[in-house]
Amino acid sequence: MPILLFLIDTSASMNQRTDLGTSYLDTAKGAVELFLKLRARDPASRGDRYMLVTYDEPPYCIKAGWKENHATFMSELKNLQASGLTTLGQALRSSFDLLNLNRLISGIDNYGQGRNPFFLEPSILITITDGNKLTSTAGIQEELHLPLNSPLPGSELTQEPFRWDQRLFALVLRLPGLASTEPEQLGSVPTDESAITQMCEVTGGRSYCVRTQRMLNQCLESLVQKVQSGVVINFEKTGPDPLLIGEDGLMDSFKPSNSSAAQPWHSCHKLIYVRPNSKSGVPVGHWPIPESFWPDQNLPSLPPRTSHPVVKFSCIDCEPMVIDKLPFDKYELEPSPLTQYILERKSPHTCWQVFVTSSGKYNELGYPFGYLKASTTLTCVNLFVMPYNYPVLLPLLDDLFKVHKLKPNLKWRQAFDSYLKTLPPYYLLPLKKALRMMGAPNLISDNLDCGLSYSVISYLKKLSQQTKIESERILASVGKKPPQEIGIKVKNHSGGGLSLTHSKNFRKLLKKITGETSPRLTELNTKEFAGFQVGFLNKDLKPQTYRNAYDVSRRGLLDQLTRMRSNLLKTHKFIVGQDEDSLHSVPVAQMGNYQEYLKTLASPLREIDPDQPKRLHTFGNPFKQDKKGMMIDEADEFVTGPQNKVKRPGEPNSPLSSKRRRNATVTHDVHEEKMENGQIPPDGFLSKSAAPEFMNMTGDGIPSNQLDSLSDDFTSLRKDDLINKPGSNALVGRIKNCSVSADDQKVSVSSFETVPNTLQITPAMAQGINADIKHQLMKEVRKFGRKYERIFILLEGVQGPLAVKKQFVEFTIKEAARFKRRVLIQYLEKVLEKIDPYHLLNNVNHVNSRSSC
């Protein structure tokens, strides 16, 4: 569940105007609303949590926190006003404290027990400011300073105010007050030169220098892509540089490696992506990243850790190690100079080991806990997290299963005990779970020691209790307005103690100015309940404002009493005459509040057919398609699979006409498509010499000869004497069902047999029937799944000559292309080939020649 915290600059300088006439604060509000709309395109945004913080004094700076819903967030955003000082440092500290409010209670940081990348709360902090000088009550500040004192207990356990799953991004508005006459420069948005840029880079984010509205929209599109689940790690090289690779792909020991010169890939501060599990929806892992100290019972307190772990990597090529059933964690690295350097080496079968300094007891550098390795396809670099000192453990486990058959001897046990002595205590529990998963005997004692002293454990528990109290105090202050400054009190010397409004002269003057007569005190104010009306049973009478219960007729008294009670207590969701109208009358401030509606929906079920394209978020537009990153022709927009065409034996080089190619013809290599989806076809499914087989509704193969017979039955018009005679619209024929089965699913089509001419169809009737069929075809193609039998039945009913039928098949192919129905397109193309007049004429001549023989 990503957390999106918006820090809005509410200093007085945000009142300055842009060339469009809007203030900087209005621009910031619009940017937040646009970001929410862009983010709502992603189905994963259903779990987003939004927070709003300003530059006010804490704790009044928190406008929307952990407990506020999306409607409160939007209301507070629209009510922001620019006044005060540019206290960016204090606002950043309050924002990070708000994000860290529950971490110590939930134990997500796991102090002293290793860092678990799969225990995270991915947070994006987006601040929108004008980039002016930082001001405070003490004067102007040249540098950005975050207060060191934090009211949050346990903040001293981390050196920085942020955590490794929190990143800061800044939109620095540099919009001109006058329209520029120079042409706008296209390209990437540069970083800003203000003090906040360095703070963004430290957290793993960046700043944007926004000079035009187009650049602002471009930055928001970029920020939406930054909402990723992951943690930031410092990767630093240790030891010499690797040997350079020659042109032949081999190591060249004679080429200098420039190890003395610092290279950009020697030190990188980047994100590793932590993907959620496809079944549970939350990240799952097994092994932590070790701490930079050895836990000891004699430690009186925990040393403060850095927000981002420093992971050293050695450039010595090693062979990747893994054994069956032993779990490991795999994380993809964000693109960086380090990943680029590793991919350029083109060595996907070697790896570089990673270490954490001072993590071991007897070794300063520590023992390896994983390795960096390029993917087999050389598209990305992955971090593999293994058990600590895995080069020693894996051979022992391999011997345990293959040599000792799960019955280790004394020598093996001594070697395993020696390994356990090099293992940090917090690795014992995950190792014990991994051995149980592998089916190994119980080799580790049940009395596990976490390695922390009793005083440290007690201190952590005490901090957790203090954090709960402080959390309740901060959350209770959210939404409260800061106290107004009390002015100078002036003592009233007029005497009598009467208000000015009680003066007779004042009332006369007020009546003369307004021109109204003042109401008598005994009269009621008729405008007090201006919008309240009591319903009346007689619909012919207009609603009246009843003031007296005796004005309601006796016959409608009980009914009216029921309605009034329902209005007062809100016991019914729908009340005739009032609440039905209110359901469709939404205030402008609440329009577009789709986030609250999404939270009420149940979690979406997985797709029945994994081969179908991913269902898009289609709120407001059911025909929306995902076009991000696609630079292709519109006619071929639905083609996302491999385009390697496999021809049938004896098939001509151009089996399809250019017209049918324009109608979005698709040819797929079924074997490659299944391999891309992670499915391995059975042996003999597709050989090099055999033609590719079409897929039926379940994804199984249908032999081409059966599919040909299916199309022949549909178009065998001459054989069954179904002819549209010139000058007559009579459709002569009888439907004969024919099916092609594949396992338990089948595709059914019908052919025609001649019957006496019993029905005369006029051209107007045929046009109406075809219009209805066209409408039904659009609905059937749009449906999910592969039940295509209804589509072929509809195509049978098309009225008119063979050219009209051909047009309907081509129309159905176009509709199938819009919704990426690849399998349906393959069926329809076979039908289209068979009803081609030239092809049909050849078939008829062939049949006649055979009959004459």
Side-chain angles (χ1 to χ4, degrees):
M1 180 182 293
I3 301 174
L4 299 169
L5 190 149
F6 294 92
L7 176 58
I8 307 299
D9 186 352
T10 54
S11 61
S13 59
M14 290 291 285
N15 287 318
Q16 58 182 311
R17 300 284 176 174
T18 66
D19 59 339
L20 300 178
T22 58
S23 66
Y24 272 27
L25 183 60
D26 293 334
T27 304
K29 294 178 182 180
V32 175
E33 294 179 355
L34 180 56
F35 178 89
L36 298 184
K37 292 180 181 179
L38 296 175
R39 174 62 181 162
R41 297 175 181 175
D42 189 354
S45 64
R46 296 180 54 174
D48 290 353
R49 183 187 297 274
Y50 297 100
M51 299 181 182
L52 182 63
V53 181
T54 63
Y55 281 16
D56 293 339
E57 290 293 326
Y60 306 108
C61 59
I62 304 174
K63 304 301 180 183
W66 288 94
K67 295 183 177 181
E68 285 67 37
N69 55 18
H70 186 73
T72 305
F73 173 88
M74 296 302 298
S75 176
E76 293 289 340
L77 175 67
K78 293 179 180 179
N79 294 331
L80 292 182
Q81 295 181 356
S83 62
L85 302 175
T86 311
T87 55
L88 177 58
Q90 179 63 59
L92 284 174
R93 183 75 204 207
S94 300
S95 301
F96 287 124
D97 287 345
L98 178 62
L99 294 175
N100 301 330
L101 202 57
N102 299 319
R103 296 180 74 94
L104 202 59
I105 302 175
S106 62
I108 192 173
D109 288 321
N110 205 30
Y111 288 106
Q113 301 295 300
R115 304 173 188 248
N116 295 309
F118 45 89
F119 288 166
L120 77 165
E121 282 179 348
S123 305
I124 301 293
L125 198 157
I126 302 174
T127 179
I128 305 179
T129 179
D130 57 0
N132 286 342
K133 293 290 185 179
L134 306 179
T135 57
S136 65
T137 55
I140 298 178
Q141 299 177 356
E142 297 295 334
E143 297 180 355
L144 176 62
H145 295 284
L146 272 66
L148 297 179
N149 54 337
S150 173
L152 201 63
S155 58
E156 69 276 5
L157 296 177
T158 307
Q159 296 179 8
E160 297 88 357
F162 51 86
R163 303 295 181 264
W164 66 340
D165 52 0
Q166 300 168 358
R167 291 180 293 162
L168 173 64
F169 295 89
L171 295 175
V172 184
L173 302 180
R174 305 286 187 182
L175 303 174
L178 297 176
S180 176
T181 58
E182 298 180 358
E184 185 176 352
Q185 297 181 357
L186 302 179
S188 60
V189 181
T191 58
D192 195 72
E193 297 179 357
S194 57
I196 198 174
T197 299
Q198 186 177 1
M199 185 68 187
C200 294
E201 294 175 352
V202 168
T203 63
R206 60 157 297 183
S207 65
Y208 299 89
C209 182
V210 180
R211 299 189 180 277
T212 62
Q213 185 64 38
R214 187 199 64 82
M215 295 176 68
L216 178 60
N217 298 338
Q218 184 179 349
C219 294
L220 294 176
E221 291 276 2
S222 174
L223 284 176
V224 171
Q225 305 299 325
K226 300 291 185 182
V227 183
Q228 299 283 348
S229 177
V231 294
V232 179
I233 294 179
N234 280 323
F235 290 97
E236 295 183 0
K237 181 185 73 72
T238 181
D241 283 5
L243 296 176
L244 298 181
I245 300 179
E247 297 180 357
D248 53 356
L250 301 177
M251 298 295 179
D252 193 348
S253 58
F254 297 100
K255 287 188 177 182
S257 60
N258 297 328
S259 58
S260 58
Q263 301 294 329
W265 60 271
H266 286 178
S267 178
C268 286
H269 189 73
K270 288 297 181 179
L271 190 78
I272 62 171
Y273 300 115
V274 182
R275 309 294 187 188
N277 185 269
S278 58
K279 296 181 180 179
S280 62
V282 296
V284 177
H286 305 88
W287 309 104
I289 294 176
E291 298 277 3
S292 58
F293 65 93
W294 180 269
D296 195 350
Q297 293 282 355
N298 299 324
L299 282 177
S301 62
L302 289 175
R305 64 161 57 156
T306 58
S307 294
H308 304 145
V310 179
V311 174
K312 303 281 188 177
F313 61 90
S314 173
C315 298
I316 301 175
D317 289 336
C318 301
E319 184 178 354
M321 300 181 65
V322 65
I323 61 174
D324 293 339
K325 299 181 181 180
L326 179 66
F328 61 88
D329 301 329
K330 178 181 176 182
Y331 306 105
E332 180 184 346
L333 270 67
E334 184 183 15
S336 64
L338 175 60
T339 59
Q340 181 181 359
Y341 182 82
I342 295 177
L343 294 176
E344 288 176 352
R345 291 174 53 83
K346 297 181 180 180
S347 300
H349 303 296
T350 60
C351 66
W352 290 351
Q353 293 179 343
V354 291
F355 310 81
V356 171
T357 306
S358 303
S359 60
K361 189 175 183 179
Y362 307 106
N363 191 348
E364 181 180 356
L365 181 61
Y367 294 100
F369 67 92
Y371 50 82
L372 294 173
K373 178 184 175 298
S375 62
T376 308
T377 57
L378 295 176
T379 57
C380 63
V381 177
N382 298 314
L383 169 65
F384 289 81
V385 180
M386 308 287 290
Y388 192 78
N389 199 7
Y390 71 94
V392 176
L393 175 64
L394 266 60
L396 287 174
L397 295 181
D398 194 48
D399 291 344
L400 177 65
F401 283 88
K402 295 181 179 180
V403 178
H404 302 288
K405 305 299 181 183
L406 300 179
K407 296 181 180 179
N409 55 17
L410 180 60
K411 183 178 179 181
W412 188 94
R413 286 187 175 274
Q414 291 176 349
F416 185 74
D417 291 339
S418 300
Y419 162 76
L420 293 180
K421 293 179 180 179
T422 65
L423 198 67
Y426 47 83
Y427 271 94
L428 293 176
L429 182 58
L431 179 59
K432 185 179 181 67
K433 293 180 179 179
L435 293 177
R436 189 185 304 118
M437 291 172 56
M438 298 176 66
N442 189 8
L443 303 172
I444 302 176
S445 173
D446 294 332
N447 299 325
L448 298 179
D449 182 14
C450 64
L452 301 179
S453 62
Y454 177 77
S455 60
V456 171
I457 297 176
S458 301
Y459 176 67
L460 293 177
K461 291 182 179 179
K462 182 181 178 181
L463 286 179
S464 178
Q465 296 175 356
Q466 294 176 355
T467 305
K468 290 181 181 180
I469 300 175
E470 183 64 23
S471 174
E472 293 175 357
R473 186 190 68 83
I474 294 178
L475 295 179
S477 63
V478 174
K480 291 185 177 181
K481 304 298 180 182
Q484 299 294 331
E485 294 185 1
I486 301 176
I488 302 175
K489 293 183 179 181
V490 180
K491 187 176 181 180
N492 185 11
H493 295 283
S494 61
L498 293 177
S499 173
L500 181 64
T501 57
H502 287 79
S503 174
K504 185 177 181 180
N505 295 333
F506 176 79
R507 291 203 304 267
K508 287 182 179 180
L509 180 63
L510 183 63
K511 183 171 63 174
K512 185 184 298 185
I513 294 174
T514 59
E516 298 177 356
T517 59
S518 58
R520 290 179 296 177
L521 295 178
T522 56
E523 293 182 354
L524 294 175
N525 187 0
T526 57
K527 295 183 179 180
E528 184 178 0
F529 303 101
F532 181 78
Q533 292 179 347
V534 180
F536 202 66
L537 292 179
N538 191 348
K539 302 299 183 182
D540 297 332
L541 298 179
K542 295 182 179 179
Q544 301 180 20
T545 306
Y546 290 110
R547 298 299 177 187
N548 197 333
Y550 294 99
D551 292 341
V552 183
S553 64
R554 183 175 182 177
R555 184 175 56 182
L557 191 60
L558 291 178
D559 180 67
Q560 189 61 44
L561 183 62
T562 303
R563 294 172 184 269
M564 294 172 65
R565 183 184 293 109
S566 299
N567 281 331
L568 180 62
L569 303 178
K570 300 294 182 182
T571 56
H572 293 79
K573 187 175 181 180
F574 302 106
I575 301 175
V576 177
Q578 178 182 352
D579 288 348
E580 282 185 349
D581 224 14
S582 65
L583 290 176
H584 307 286
S585 301
V586 182
V588 176
Q590 298 180 12
M591 289 183 179
N593 188 4
Y594 190 52
Q595 297 295 329
E596 294 298 322
Y597 172 75
L598 285 176
K599 293 179 181 179
T600 61
L601 297 180
S603 300
L605 301 176
R606 65 175 179 84
E607 295 293 340
I608 299 178
D609 186 2
D611 292 337
Q612 285 288 345
K614 183 179 180 181
R615 184 178 301 184
L616 297 175
H617 169 53
T618 58
F619 174 71
N621 182 5
F623 303 103
K624 185 186 295 181
Q625 296 186 8
D626 190 4
K627 299 182 181 180
K628 291 185 291 187
M630 300 177 65
M631 300 292 292
I632 57 178
D633 186 66
E634 183 178 358
D636 298 328
E637 185 174 300
F638 63 97
V639 182
T640 57
Q643 301 299 304
N644 299 334
K645 178 173 179 180
V646 183
K647 296 192 294 184
R648 299 176 182 271
E651 184 179 358
N653 292 330
S654 57
L656 302 177
S657 64
S658 60
K659 182 176 181 180
R660 289 199 297 274
R661 266 198 299 272
R662 288 196 301 271
N663 291 329
T665 302
V666 184
T667 308
H668 290 281
D669 189 333
V670 181
H671 175 71
E672 290 188 8
E673 184 175 348
K674 284 222 167 191
M675 291 297 290
E676 284 188 358
N677 295 331
Q679 304 174 7
I680 302 177
D683 295 336
F685 178 77
L686 182 64
S687 62
K688 294 182 179 180
S689 60
E693 299 171 342
F694 290 104
M695 307 296 294
N696 71 342
M697 278 80 76
T698 61
D700 300 324
I702 297 181
S704 58
N705 56 354
Q706 294 185 16
L707 190 61
D708 292 340
S709 65
L710 182 150
S711 302
D712 290 336
D713 288 335
F714 180 74
T715 56
S716 59
L717 307 179
R718 176 71 65 181
K719 179 179 179 182
D720 296 325
D721 296 328
L722 177 62
I723 303 174
N724 256 334
K725 299 180 180 180
S728 174
N729 289 321
L731 180 64
V732 184
R734 178 168 61 88
I735 297 177
K736 175 183 178 182
N737 292 329
C738 172
S739 64
V740 178
S741 63
D743 296 338
D744 56 339
Q745 300 284 347
K746 61 183 180 180
V747 181
S748 299
V749 195
S750 301
S751 60
F752 296 90
E753 293 184 356
T754 57
V755 295
N757 187 358
T758 59
L759 178 64
Q760 293 290 336
I761 300 179
T762 64
M765 293 174 57
Q767 187 176 3
I769 293 174
N770 288 347
D772 183 65
I773 291 176
K774 189 174 184 179
H775 180 70
Q776 294 294 328
L777 283 172
M778 293 173 64
K779 293 176 61 177
E780 292 295 327
V781 172
R782 191 184 306 172
K783 292 181 179 179
F784 283 92
R786 296 189 177 180
K787 297 180 179 180
Y788 303 144
E789 182 177 2
R790 172 69 176 163
I791 295 177
F792 287 97
I793 294 177
L794 289 172
L795 289 175
E796 291 176 10
V798 176
Q799 306 298 318
L802 199 60
V804 176
K805 298 179 181 292
K806 180 180 177 182
Q807 292 177 1
F808 267 77
V809 176
E810 292 175 346
F811 168 77
T812 310
I813 290 179
K814 292 181 180 180
E815 286 296 308
R818 288 179 58 204
F819 296 96
K820 304 181 182 181
R821 307 288 190 260
R822 305 171 188 167
V823 179
L824 176 60
I825 292 174
Q826 293 175 343
Y827 290 141
L828 294 172
E829 285 178 349
K830 292 296 297 182
V831 173
L832 191 62
E833 291 180 5
K834 297 302 180 181
I835 65 175
D836 188 282
Y838 179 77
H839 191 280
L840 181 62
L841 182 61
N842 290 342
N843 286 347
V844 172
N845 294 337
H846 183 64
V847 171
N848 292 338
S849 61
R850 290 183 61 185
S851 60
S852 61
C853 294

